[in-house]
Amino acid sequence: MKIVIDAMGGDNAPYEIVKGAIEASKEFKTDIILVGDSNKIEEALNNYGLDKNNFEIVHTSEVITNEDSPTISIRRKKDSSMVVGMKLVKEGKADAFISAGNTGALLAGGLFVIGRIKGIDRPALTPVIPGKNGHFLLMDAGANAECKSINILQFALMGSIYSKKVLKKDNPSVGLVNIGAEEEKGTEFTKECFKLLRESTLNFKGNIEGRYIPDGDIDVVVCDGFTGNIILKLYEGVSQTIFKILKEEILSSFTTKLGGLLLKPVFSKFKKKFDYTEHGGAILLGIDGLVIKAHGSSNAKAIKNAIKQAILCIEGNVVNSIKSEIEHIN
Amino acid sequence: MKIVIDAMGGDNAPYEIVKGAIEASKEFKTDIILVGDSNKIEEALNNYGLDKNNFEIVHTSEVITNEDSPTISIRRKKDSSMVVGMKLVKEGKADAFISAGNTGALLAGGLFVIGRIKGIDRPALTPVIPGKNGHFLLMDAGANAECKSINILQFALMGSIYSKKVLKKDNPSVGLVNIGAEEEKGTEFTKECFKLLRESTLNFKGNIEGRYIPDGDIDVVVCDGFTGNIILKLYEGVSQTIFKILKEEILSSFTTKLGGLLLKPVFSKFKKKFDYTEHGGAILLGIDGLVIKAHGSSNAKAIKNAIKQAILCIEGNVVNSIKSEIEHIN
């Protein structure tokens, strides 16, 4: 098993990325390829007292930054860590690619460098989100601002396969994001989606309103990429805002500081439960190869967990399962 | 000043509704009309040891429930508390109508009983939402699942007037909900909205991503009613979920219980800051009369605060300000 890591992507590249990769290679006994500027990667390895000869490094001379236009940079920066890393997957020289870099470029690269699974019209950016009663998939979280109902059906199918193969859920439930529980609620688009999902063989549970999403009772939450992106970011935003306010208040007096100290295990447990870095990254489902987008602000732990997620996806044979399921349907 | 309260609407009707109305009439010295089943209203008044003769009660024989179809019930239940209450506003016999009942019916009643302001194509359900650095308006929060860009521009205009007149903000900022900060991000619809807003005389600050909404730095956050409804409900859902989890954890051991006790003032302060009941209800902006939707689970305090909000709207002359601004533009 070989996993390629984009050493140049993300706010904390290359140090935290390299660190996470090293830790994962030790813990999970998987082969890691670090792709990026070899000087910088070696510097990072040196920093952690590691010999560069123990790691496979693929040198690239270019970097796609967050400011780069996704499609243009993928087409022009042929020797970027992202393009080269994805090519290794395309050519079968590696089993997965992980990057914390430019999301748009990663999506474009998925399409242009690796390519879609035949029969899947649009890939979906699929984060695993922590909820009160369990984790759930949100699809699409932003790969496609506008969608057709057939895309939503395909997202639900792919998400159900992922839930079965990786999250080991028996009969994953599917919910359609909507503004009311009743079938007739929402837009023309959601009504069409509802119909397609109801007629499918999936375990469709109907509409899910915003207020119930955080419960985590629905395994695969589907919507267009515009709505999904707002949900993903608001979820994070509300949670961070609440803890910022609580922290300020806790630090405001001696008694509350003491209270905060006593509740430290509670907050740590909560953070572990609700922390995105605990659950890996967002998988680009629908691509004919395994690509995982780690959070832009990923630290070593987040990268390590994304690698763990990649291993589970490889072991669960997610991409091939989607391929054969889609072939079977068509 | 006369404010009509739907005594039959909401999960806690009529007791909590009547209680909130009584408290408001004492605290704010405003005249209250209670509309609904007079037997039940009198029973509630008796319960609080109050003489029915001190309150104006308008008896109605029907109730619109949450299960009723909005448009049909508004057309057929002519003697419902909602229809009769809105008629009082329409006929100039009262200055505002407040209900915690069926949201869809209230929206339909706003359109069919009271009517739109000339020049406003679609009214917007406009809650005041607490953010870290201040409150903001979210428009539309669900009156129109599908919108045109001109609707969004009109929402922004109405929201800016409300912010000036009621929230006393000098030059309210406007943000367009989108999946990226850059102008070219989003759907064809958001691109059109961006253009219209940029060309307007409003204080348009560009796109706002989900993650930054809870900061409360943008005064008027505009989007279509589908997106707004998801935002509103997810906002509440994430916040409630976090506190449910924290509560469970705090109650799990002696030390954490003690910590929780010491942090009680922190949680109370937070709750006060983030509690929707502190900020009244959602105004139906664009209707030729003042209509406020209180939260379905409103208690007496929420109703009292919605009445306070109605008074501020009447004093700020919100409806007429929108009318004259729209006339001026057209």
Side-chain angles (χ1 to χ4, degrees), chain B residues 7 18 27 79 83 98 159 173 225 264 269 278 293 305:
Chain B
V18 169
E27 197 172 325
D79 198 40
V83 172
I98 297 171
S173 54
K264 222 174 169 184
K269 202 170 162 187
E278 294 290 336
K293 169 71 180 76
N305 284 322

Side-chain angles (χ1 to χ4, degrees), chain A residues 158-211:
Chain A
M158 295 192 291
S160 297
I161 293 171
Y162 183 91
S163 291
K164 269 183 224 164
K165 299 286 177 178
V166 181
L167 305 174
K168 309 295 177 198
K169 293 183 181 179
D170 260 352
N171 187 23
S173 54
V174 173
L176 174 67
V177 176
N178 208 338
I179 60 175
E182 306 83 358
E183 180 173 351
E184 71 277 6
K185 281 287 170 80
T187 60
E188 285 311 310
F189 169 70
T190 59
K191 284 174 208 167
E192 265 178 49
C193 294
F194 192 103
K195 202 166 163 277
L196 277 186
L197 287 165
R198 196 191 43 202
E199 287 165 0
S200 76
T201 56
L202 298 166
N203 181 17
F204 180 50
K205 296 291 191 188
N207 292 328
I208 177 167
E209 289 184 81
R211 128 178 35 241

Side-chain angles (χ1 to χ4, degrees), chain A residues 50-235:
Chain A
L50 293 158
D51 185 353
K52 63 175 182 178
N53 296 319
N54 291 336
F55 295 90
E56 193 174 341
I57 299 171
V58 173
H59 175 74
T60 55
S61 60
E62 291 175 297
V63 174
I64 294 177
T65 68
N66 272 335
E67 288 64 45
D68 280 330
S69 154
T71 318
I72 296 172
S73 58
I74 285 293
R75 290 198 186 278
R76 294 203 187 145
K77 291 189 168 176
K78 298 282 186 208
D79 198 40
S80 61
S81 53
M82 221 182 245
V83 172
V84 171
M86 282 198 266
K87 265 195 183 148
L88 289 170
V89 172
K90 172 74 178 175
E91 292 161 0
K93 290 175 186 157
D95 303 292
F97 177 66
I98 297 171
S99 176
N102 186 322
T103 309
L106 195 70
L107 297 171
L111 285 172
F112 301 131
V113 179
I114 300 182
R116 280 179 291 122
I117 287 173
K118 212 183 140 191
I120 296 289
D121 300 307
R122 300 283 193 97
L125 190 64
T126 312
V128 186
I129 299 183
K132 186 171 184 298
N133 305 321
H135 303 129
F136 61 92
L137 302 180
L138 176 69
M139 337 180 45
D140 166 28
N144 317 280
E146 288 174 276
C147 287
K148 291 178 182 159
S149 52
I150 183 73
N151 305 140
I152 301 293
L153 179 66
Q154 291 177 356
F155 297 165
L157 178 76
M158 295 192 291
S160 297
I161 293 171
Y162 183 91
S163 291
K164 269 183 224 164
K165 299 286 177 178
V166 181
L167 305 174
K168 309 295 177 198
K169 293 183 181 179
D170 260 352
N171 187 23
S173 54
V174 173
L176 174 67
V177 176
N178 208 338
I179 60 175
E182 306 83 358
E183 180 173 351
E184 71 277 6
K185 281 287 170 80
T187 60
E188 285 311 310
F189 169 70
T190 59
K191 284 174 208 167
E192 265 178 49
C193 294
F194 192 103
K195 202 166 163 277
L196 277 186
L197 287 165
R198 196 191 43 202
E199 287 165 0
S200 76
T201 56
L202 298 166
N203 181 17
F204 180 50
K205 296 291 191 188
N207 292 328
I208 177 167
E209 289 184 81
R211 128 178 35 241
Y212 303 111
I213 294 175
D215 288 342
D217 290 327
I218 296 292
D219 300 314
V220 183
V221 174
V222 290
C223 58
D224 64 88
F226 184 89
T227 305
N229 189 270
I230 305 289
I231 291 172
L232 179 69
K233 290 178 181 164
L234 185 68
Y235 208 94

Side-chain angles (χ1 to χ4, degrees), chain A residues 132 209 233 248 256 263, chain B residues 132 209 233 248 256 263:
Chain A
K132 186 171 184 298
E209 289 184 81
K233 290 178 181 164
E248 276 173 23
T256 51
L263 287 191
Chain B
K132 186 172 184 298
E209 288 184 80
K233 290 179 181 165
E248 277 174 21
T256 52
L263 286 192

Side-chain angles (χ1 to χ4, degrees), chain A residues 131-132 142 145-146 177-180 186-190 208-215 224-227 229-246 248-250 252 255-260 262-263 265-267 269-270 273-274 295, chain B residues 131-132 142 145-146 177-180 186-190 208-215 224-227 229-246 248-250 252 255-260 262-263 265-267 269-270 273-274 295:
Chain A
K132 186 171 184 298
E146 288 174 276
V177 176
N178 208 338
I179 60 175
T187 60
E188 285 311 310
F189 169 70
T190 59
I208 177 167
E209 289 184 81
R211 128 178 35 241
Y212 303 111
I213 294 175
D215 288 342
D224 64 88
F226 184 89
T227 305
N229 189 270
I230 305 289
I231 291 172
L232 179 69
K233 290 178 181 164
L234 185 68
Y235 208 94
E236 207 178 323
V238 173
S239 167
Q240 286 179 351
T241 301
I242 288 175
F243 283 97
K244 259 188 230 161
I245 297 175
L246 286 181
E248 276 173 23
E249 292 296 332
I250 286 171
S252 70
T255 332
T256 51
K257 267 186 205 163
L258 182 61
L262 292 173
L263 287 191
V266 167
F267 290 127
K269 201 171 163 187
F270 179 88
K273 191 171 178 176
F274 250 65
H295 203 287
Chain B
K132 186 172 184 298
E146 288 174 273
V177 176
N178 208 338
I179 60 173
T187 61
E188 284 312 310
F189 169 70
T190 59
I208 177 167
E209 288 184 80
R211 126 176 40 241
Y212 303 111
I213 294 175
D215 288 342
D224 64 88
F226 184 88
T227 306
N229 190 271
I230 304 289
I231 291 173
L232 179 68
K233 290 179 181 165
L234 185 68
Y235 208 95
E236 208 179 322
V238 172
S239 167
Q240 285 179 352
T241 302
I242 288 176
F243 283 98
K244 258 188 231 163
I245 297 175
L246 285 182
E248 277 174 21
E249 292 296 332
I250 286 171
S252 69
T255 332
T256 52
K257 267 186 205 161
L258 181 62
L262 292 173
L263 286 192
V266 166
F267 290 127
K269 202 170 162 187
F270 179 88
K273 192 170 178 175
F274 251 65
H295 202 289

